[in-house]
Amino acid sequence: MNVWTLALLLAAQDRPAAPPVSPEVHADRKVTFRLRAPQAQKVVLNGEWGGGPREMAKDDQGVWSITVGPLEPDLWGYNFTQDGVVLTDPLNSALKPMRSPRTSVVEVPGEPPRLHEFQNVPHGTVRLHDYESTALGRRRPLRVYTPPGYDRDPNVRYPVLYLFHGSGDTEATWTAFGRAHLIADNLIAQGKAKPMILVMPDGHAVVGPEAREKNVPGFLKDLLDDVLPFVEKNYRTQADREHRGIVGLSMGGGQSLTGGLTHLETFAWVGGFSSAIRDPETTVAAALADPAATNARLKLLWFACGKDDRLVEGGKELSEALKKRGIKHEFRITDGNHSWPVWRKYLGEFLPLLFVEP
Amino acid sequence: MNVWTLALLLAAQDRPAAPPVSPEVHADRKVTFRLRAPQAQKVVLNGEWGGGPREMAKDDQGVWSITVGPLEPDLWGYNFTQDGVVLTDPLNSALKPMRSPRTSVVEVPGEPPRLHEFQNVPHGTVRLHDYESTALGRRRPLRVYTPPGYDRDPNVRYPVLYLFHGSGDTEATWTAFGRAHLIADNLIAQGKAKPMILVMPDGHAVVGPEAREKNVPGFLKDLLDDVLPFVEKNYRTQADREHRGIVGLSMGGGQSLTGGLTHLETFAWVGGFSSAIRDPETTVAAALADPAATNARLKLLWFACGKDDRLVEGGKELSEALKKRGIKHEFRITDGNHSWPVWRKYLGEFLPLLFVEP
């Protein structure tokens, strides 16, 4: 037995009979957070629900706690700052998948349940893959959602939405934190969205100092050369442009709008959520050059941004460039900021628009 | 934009041109770990490879670092202690799935690649599910591995191994950290294991003070009432006892040996890795009562434990109880302690024994 194992076993034995619970979600949607830290001088709770950091209080067992809320029914990220050190909640197995992991997750259920919640409906499956990217010369992860019933009838083929995450995220974030699979399950059960496959690749094709210039082109090359062929080989897809959509959030929205509008031979349904899109006259010049051809090929161009999100300016700029050429699109400026509650709602609005004639 | 988002954006902008990389695995299998913590007084590295905590050194940019190794080719858990606070590596997206998450993961590749590494062979798929447990009255997560080619021929049915994790783990740990799916891929490609389905449920059926008495029976009721029917409804299984195996590690080894040996009507292939099994005269009394019937029904009973693992005593006790009745089994005492390098090896030895006549 090594020192590490021994330390864990001793820690487990020393654990008191009733270890603290964190987070504890109460019926009134207030939430109590707890951290055992007898030696700490100061512990602060940081939460995505806004209002800034909150100091926690220590009891005589050395457990720090605070109760906040009621919080809106949603998934919220949070962490602690213990004496200046940021840490996730050691009592909570739910972590937000991130490039720089630092966020625990609490889910506050709604009554009735919200669109992103697990409900008593038929469920699809999230599937994990790794593939060798010829475009990037390395192995890459990939998540694929198949809709309910996918395994039942080997003759049915499905349309595909390529769904991209933001710069802080990984290929796991759209399911683990965004709940894209449950949003799709619920919309399909309600008859509001077509059964479809969701493909969630890793958005970080080029990292480090070169990322700013090279990530979007590297990502799109990998998408077209490797991800699409992998998906179309391994899944029963409707493999034509009229059954392919492309959308993403933030960095991924820049990727989806750029990739979609410059590859209308591949994608007919294009979207962007709170998109990091700059200089549309250059980045989507191909689509702007021939408005009639672009309008003829686009089944949908839909993008949205929260009014409190500084990226709303990029959306306005793109919308203006499209308007000037008479290219059909919908640009929605909504309530909200640059955050997942907004993106879950956008996905709930976007999926029903796909693969249907208006 | 809320305060949280603003803080993240500002943090991103303040990032220097070349942020530190951690962990950095060198060609000689030494590994450098780094943590940016300009305000810290002391930072320590804790690693599962043994040798105890190691103090890190700070450079003039406020980045703490240390180089260790060479390490054996394997996956290793580690974390930092910054001024007394344990934290995962904020520069590393790879975390070990745990009930109490506190461990980052570094993979040290082998040359040639080890059995648990991604190799250029056909790959299966890991699938994520949630199901409503009637036995436990709540929703539970489940992971299922399907072997390469599963989606190709809808007429082929597969044997199933039920594979359980340890007390610190979650349903994700056998794949994310144990690499069960890659071990299976590689053994199948080498012709050393039959193509099979692996089913990885959540081992924590009852938590809190009642867990010690009630977790194993609650887990086995959920397994038999809910998990098996879910798997046999949703996957193309060979749904008879001669095509069902059951194995687990530590707490999961107690569950698999107890569950297997008391449910030979359901499982013919039984195993346990470093199993938390106590008092076999009581826990597996059903199998001991009629040795001839047990021998007739058991296709395999294989369990193993490291000689440096204190749970080896439970294994010896079980082996003695079986020997006394002439019940066929293999009990292996191997090198190693209570740790994942041992369990990855055991899985590599166990899978080839399954679903084949000796």
Side-chain angles (χ1 to χ4, degrees):
Chain A
M1 189 171 303
N2 65 24
V3 172
W4 172 276
T5 310
L6 185 64
L8 292 187
L9 284 171
L10 290 174
Q13 286 175 330
D14 285 345
R15 199 181 289 169
V21 171
S22 183
E24 183 182 359
V25 181
H26 306 283
D28 62 359
R29 292 194 275 107
K30 289 186 178 175
V31 184
T32 301
F33 300 89
R34 297 183 178 90
L35 179 73
R36 178 181 295 279
Q39 311 302 327
Q41 298 304 306
K42 183 178 172 182
V43 180
V44 166
L45 170 71
N46 316 291
E48 289 180 338
W49 48 82
R54 297 275 305 274
E55 273 199 47
M56 297 168 71
K58 184 164 79 164
D59 70 12
D60 56 9
Q61 302 294 306
V63 176
W64 298 73
S65 69
I66 189 173
T67 298
V68 302
L71 300 181
E72 282 300 300
D74 217 322
L75 283 90
W76 300 104
Y78 71 95
N79 57 32
F80 302 121
T81 305
Q82 176 179 340
D83 295 333
V85 183
V86 174
L87 73 160
T88 53
D89 185 343
L91 297 170
N92 181 1
S93 65
L95 291 164
K96 179 175 168 186
M98 298 177 78
R99 269 175 74 71
S100 298
R102 64 192 151 200
T103 305
S104 297
V105 178
V106 59
E107 177 167 7
V108 179
E111 183 55 47
R114 299 304 192 257
L115 190 63
H116 63 264
E117 291 183 43
F118 186 94
Q119 300 184 31
N120 185 20
V121 299
H123 291 283
T125 305
V126 175
R127 307 180 187 216
L128 315 188
H129 297 283
D130 290 286
Y131 66 97
E132 291 290 353
S133 169
T134 60
L136 302 171
R138 66 173 196 275
R139 178 161 46 111
R140 305 241 305 150
L142 180 70
R143 290 199 166 198
V144 177
Y145 162 86
T146 52
Y150 179 87
D151 281 327
R152 220 157 30 227
D153 186 344
N155 299 308
V156 182
R157 296 189 159 265
Y158 294 88
V160 182
L161 174 64
Y162 290 83
L163 176 60
F164 309 148
H165 62 70
S167 64
D169 306 326
T170 76
E171 82 291 344
T173 316
W174 253 120
T175 47
F177 195 61
R179 298 289 168 87
H181 57 311
L182 298 181
I183 292 170
D185 284 347
N186 290 328
L187 288 170
I188 292 167
Q190 294 167 18
K192 290 183 180 160
K194 295 261 185 192
M196 66 182 83
I197 293 169
L198 304 179
V199 175
M200 293 156 280
D202 172 3
H204 296 282
V206 177
V207 296
E210 292 188 313
R212 194 179 167 87
E213 291 306 316
K214 297 194 177 168
N215 189 49
V216 174
F219 174 80
L220 294 176
K221 183 164 170 50
D222 171 67
L223 179 73
L224 297 169
D225 290 1
D226 294 292
V227 176
L228 255 86
F230 180 92
V231 169
E232 298 189 346
K233 181 183 167 198
N234 290 290
Y235 290 91
R236 300 193 316 276
T237 65
Q238 291 174 289
D240 57 55
R241 60 181 295 285
E242 306 210 342
H243 296 93
R244 279 196 212 103
I246 183 168
V247 75
L249 74 87
S250 192
M251 174 184 86
Q255 292 167 334
S256 65
L257 290 169
T258 307
L261 290 171
T262 60
H263 291 281
L264 291 170
E265 78 288 354
T266 306
F267 305 99
W269 310 80
V270 180
F273 304 160
S274 313
S275 309
I277 180 102
R278 289 169 301 174
D279 192 14
E281 299 286 343
T282 306
T283 48
V284 300
L288 301 178
D290 187 344
T294 297
N295 276 330
R297 293 199 288 180
L298 266 179
K299 292 280 187 185
L300 178 74
L301 176 53
W302 186 102
F303 50 105
C305 197
K307 64 181 168 52
D308 303 326
D309 185 332
R310 64 175 185 175
L311 294 183
V312 75
E313 296 309 318
K316 287 180 185 169
E317 202 185 338
L318 175 60
S319 184
E320 286 306 315
L322 294 164
K323 262 191 213 153
K324 208 159 73 182
R325 277 85 170 183
I327 296 175
K328 294 170 300 181
H329 67 284
E330 184 175 359
F331 174 45
R332 294 197 49 207
I333 299 178
T334 69
D335 282 344
N337 54 28
H338 201 73
S339 67
W340 276 97
V342 171
W343 301 322
R344 291 184 200 101
K345 278 194 200 113
Y346 288 170
L347 189 68
E349 295 179 44
F350 187 70
L351 294 185
L353 305 175
L354 292 175
F355 313 124
V356 289
E357 294 303 323
Chain B
M1 188 170 304
N2 65 24
V3 171
W4 172 276
T5 311
L6 185 65
L8 292 187
L9 285 169
L10 291 173
Q13 286 176 333
D14 285 345
R15 200 182 287 169
V21 171
S22 182
E24 184 182 0
V25 181
H26 306 281
D28 60 0
R29 293 192 275 109
K30 289 186 178 175
V31 183
T32 301
F33 299 89
R34 297 184 178 92
L35 179 73
R36 177 180 297 281
Q39 311 302 326
Q41 298 305 305
K42 182 178 173 182
V43 180
V44 165
L45 170 71
N46 315 293
E48 288 179 339
W49 47 82
R54 296 276 304 274
E55 273 199 48
M56 298 168 70
K58 184 164 81 165
D59 71 11
D60 56 10
Q61 302 295 305
V63 176
W64 298 74
S65 69
I66 189 172
T67 298
V68 303
L71 300 182
E72 281 302 298
D74 216 320
L75 283 89
W76 299 104
Y78 71 96
N79 57 33
F80 303 121
T81 305
Q82 177 180 339
D83 295 332
V85 183
V86 174
L87 72 163
T88 53
D89 185 345
L91 297 170
N92 181 0
S93 65
L95 291 164
K96 180 176 167 186
M98 298 177 80
R99 269 175 74 72
S100 298
R102 63 193 154 202
T103 306
S104 297
V105 178
V106 59
E107 179 168 4
V108 179
E111 182 56 45
R114 298 306 192 258
L115 190 62
H116 64 263
E117 291 183 44
F118 186 94
Q119 300 185 30
N120 184 22
V121 300
H123 291 284
T125 304
V126 176
R127 306 179 187 215
L128 315 188
H129 297 282
D130 291 286
Y131 66 97
E132 291 290 354
S133 168
T134 60
L136 303 171
R138 65 173 198 275
R139 179 161 45 111
R140 306 238 306 149
L142 181 70
R143 291 200 166 198
V144 176
Y145 161 86
T146 52
Y150 179 87
D151 281 328
R152 217 154 37 224
D153 185 343
N155 299 308
V156 181
R157 295 188 160 267
Y158 295 87
V160 182
L161 175 64
Y162 291 83
L163 177 60
F164 310 147
H165 62 70
S167 65
D169 306 326
T170 75
E171 82 290 345
T173 315
W174 253 120
T175 48
F177 195 61
R179 299 288 169 87
H181 58 310
L182 299 180
I183 292 170
D185 284 348
N186 289 328
L187 288 171
I188 293 168
Q190 294 167 18
K192 290 183 182 161
K194 295 262 185 191
M196 68 182 84
I197 293 169
L198 305 179
V199 175
M200 293 156 280
D202 172 3
H204 296 283
V206 177
V207 296
E210 294 189 310
R212 194 178 168 87
E213 292 305 316
K214 298 194 176 169
N215 190 50
V216 173
F219 174 80
L220 294 176
K221 183 163 171 52
D222 172 68
L223 179 73
L224 296 170
D225 290 359
D226 294 292
V227 175
L228 255 86
F230 180 93
V231 169
E232 299 189 347
K233 181 183 166 196
N234 290 290
Y235 289 92
R236 299 194 316 276
T237 64
Q238 291 174 290
D240 57 54
R241 60 181 295 285
E242 305 211 343
H243 297 92
R244 280 196 211 103
I246 183 168
V247 75
L249 74 86
S250 191
M251 175 184 85
Q255 292 166 336
S256 65
L257 291 170
T258 308
L261 289 172
T262 61
H263 291 282
L264 291 170
E265 78 288 354
T266 306
F267 305 98
W269 310 80
V270 180
F273 305 159
S274 313
S275 308
I277 180 101
R278 289 171 300 175
D279 191 13
E281 298 286 344
T282 305
T283 49
V284 300
L288 302 178
D290 187 344
T294 297
N295 275 331
R297 294 199 288 181
L298 266 178
K299 292 281 186 183
L300 178 74
L301 175 54
W302 187 101
F303 50 105
C305 197
K307 65 180 166 52
D308 303 326
D309 185 332
R310 63 174 184 173
L311 294 183
V312 76
E313 295 308 320
K316 286 179 187 168
E317 201 185 337
L318 175 61
S319 185
E320 286 306 318
L322 294 164
K323 261 190 216 156
K324 209 158 70 181
R325 277 87 173 181
I327 296 176
K328 295 170 299 180
H329 67 283
E330 183 175 358
F331 174 46
R332 293 196 51 207
I333 298 178
T334 70
D335 282 344
N337 54 25
H338 201 73
S339 67
W340 277 97
V342 172
W343 302 322
R344 291 184 199 100
K345 276 193 202 117
Y346 287 170
L347 189 68
E349 293 178 46
F350 188 69
L351 294 185
L353 305 176
L354 291 175
F355 313 125
V356 288
E357 295 303 325

